[in-house]
Amino acid sequence: MAKGDGLKPIRDPLGSGTGIDFAVIELLFFAYRDFTSDPDKILAGYGFGRAHHRVVHFVNRMPGLTVAELLDVLKITKQSLARVLKQLIDTGHIVQVQGPRDRRQRELYPTEKGRALALELAAPQSRRIGRALAGGGAADRTAVEHFLKAMVNPELRAQVDKLPHDGGGGEGL
Amino acid sequence: MAKGDGLKPIRDPLGSGTGIDFAVIELLFFAYRDFTSDPDKILAGYGFGRAHHRVVHFVNRMPGLTVAELLDVLKITKQSLARVLKQLIDTGHIVQVQGPRDRRQRELYPTEKGRALALELAAPQSRRIGRALAGGGAADRTAVEHFLKAMVNPELRAQVDKLPHDGGGGEGL
DNA sequence: AATTTATGTCAGCCTTGTTGACTTATTTTC
DNA sequence: GAAAATAAGTCAACAAGGCTGACATAAATT
């Protein structure tokens, strides 16, 4: 060792001339980190983690979805889901109902407590988004939504579209 | 238990009337998940994880930064950093140089191997971003950048600005 | 000379993901 | 109606990547 080893320190910053969009890569990293920090603080108070957040969120947005459907949305294994789901059921945030047509299935629904938690977690995230979009016009919001959707793998965009579209709302009139 | 318990399943989807921006909340979740899936696959081939990616990335973007500065960017503990940093040094991706003025400090630099890895990991992410921005004009790109930057905690925006600004590049002319 | 600072290291813990194997209840298929 | 497939639950073991606390070393500062 120690001949023409490629172990010499490179001193110029990576960037120029590569044609790579480092600006947006880094903005996504920092933006997402701070975006998730809001609910993380709240969750810690309940003894929950980010995994609980995702389950509570999607059960509230798609009430009655089955365990298999939830696994498909989250892209995790059922053993991984089982742990956090059990806690959320034990703490009364989520209830299971036997599927009406197929009794092997368990439909997942939020309780009032679970709905309240979902709202509490979403509120600061929505406020952050609201501030970030403030000042821009409708075209800016459209551009951001279009960009984020286009970042999702094409096969998975169907899932995004399956979620409720928030007809009535806050900003309308 | 089992009186007026709040354990009744709630059957209507959370959304309308709350004034909460669920659309963008969910788009950020899905977009970021797929955004990180590209490098994750490559990293697995090296026996590395997402933590290694972040270290390699920032050492390449800010060559010569000290361990303390890196900890500040990543917002993790030094024990947490130590593990992945040691591996990256042992595999010849990063080298440490004793600080010139303060010899307690260790300046971190990428090797040629480390630079190549950073590029390999950034390439698919940049391609994904390029596709997501394609079709839109310069105003759309500006809107997206402004949005993402505004999502970052104000105290931390200084760090974002410290990174190289990619003067010459791919898309210019 | 004493203290503070930058870094490294040891040990143990937690969360959240993984794989593999196996059980039970129910539905579907032949 | 028996056999096979499916939905869900569970046990065990493991890994990555965070965390805290404690302590060691070298170098700079006071």
Side-chain angles (χ1 to χ4, degrees), chain B residues 148-170:
Chain B
L148 291 174
K149 190 161 175 181
M151 288 289 287
V152 179
N153 286 345
E155 328 84 71
L156 302 173
R157 274 176 219 152
Q159 278 187 349
V160 179
D161 290 324
K162 239 182 262 175
L163 294 158
H165 277 339
D166 304 336

Side-chain angles (χ1 to χ4, degrees), chain B residues 7-163:
Chain B
L7 293 177
K8 288 195 305 295
I10 296 181
R11 294 190 129 81
D12 67 305
L14 179 57
S16 336
T18 58
I20 289 185
D21 197 335
F22 286 107
V24 176
I25 288 175
E26 279 151 0
L27 282 170
L28 274 166
F29 170 67
F30 289 116
Y32 195 77
R33 185 179 61 182
D34 290 349
F35 171 67
T36 52
S37 72
D38 297 326
D40 281 354
K41 283 174 214 142
I42 298 169
L43 289 158
Y46 290 91
F48 290 156
R50 214 172 278 185
H52 301 85
H53 184 184
R54 295 196 275 259
V55 172
V56 167
H57 178 93
F58 285 108
V59 168
N60 269 280
R61 288 283 283 168
M62 312 165 78
L65 90 175
T66 64
V67 170
E69 286 167 341
L70 183 54
L71 290 176
D72 196 50
V73 171
L74 298 178
K75 304 278 180 235
I76 58 175
T77 59
K78 76 179 160 175
Q79 296 93 327
S80 213
L81 172 62
R83 263 184 310 221
V84 299
L85 183 54
K86 191 174 188 317
Q87 286 179 272
L88 288 167
I89 290 169
D90 289 347
T91 51
H93 290 92
I94 290 179
V95 287
Q96 288 178 312
V97 175
Q98 201 167 53
R101 42 203 97 185
D102 188 334
R103 294 186 310 180
R104 288 171 305 180
Q105 295 182 332
R106 302 283 180 273
E107 294 182 344
L108 303 173
Y109 293 94
T111 62
E112 215 168 303
K113 198 174 167 190
R115 170 128 313 182
L117 179 56
L119 272 168
E120 184 186 358
L121 295 170
Q125 296 194 304
S126 186
R127 256 184 268 121
R128 185 184 287 267
I129 291 166
R131 284 193 301 266
L133 289 173
D140 287 351
R141 188 199 163 88
T142 303
V144 168
E145 282 193 6
H146 175 272
F147 167 74
L148 291 174
K149 190 161 175 181
M151 288 289 287
V152 179
N153 286 345
E155 328 84 71
L156 302 173
R157 274 176 219 152
Q159 278 187 349
V160 179
D161 290 324
K162 239 182 262 175
L163 294 158

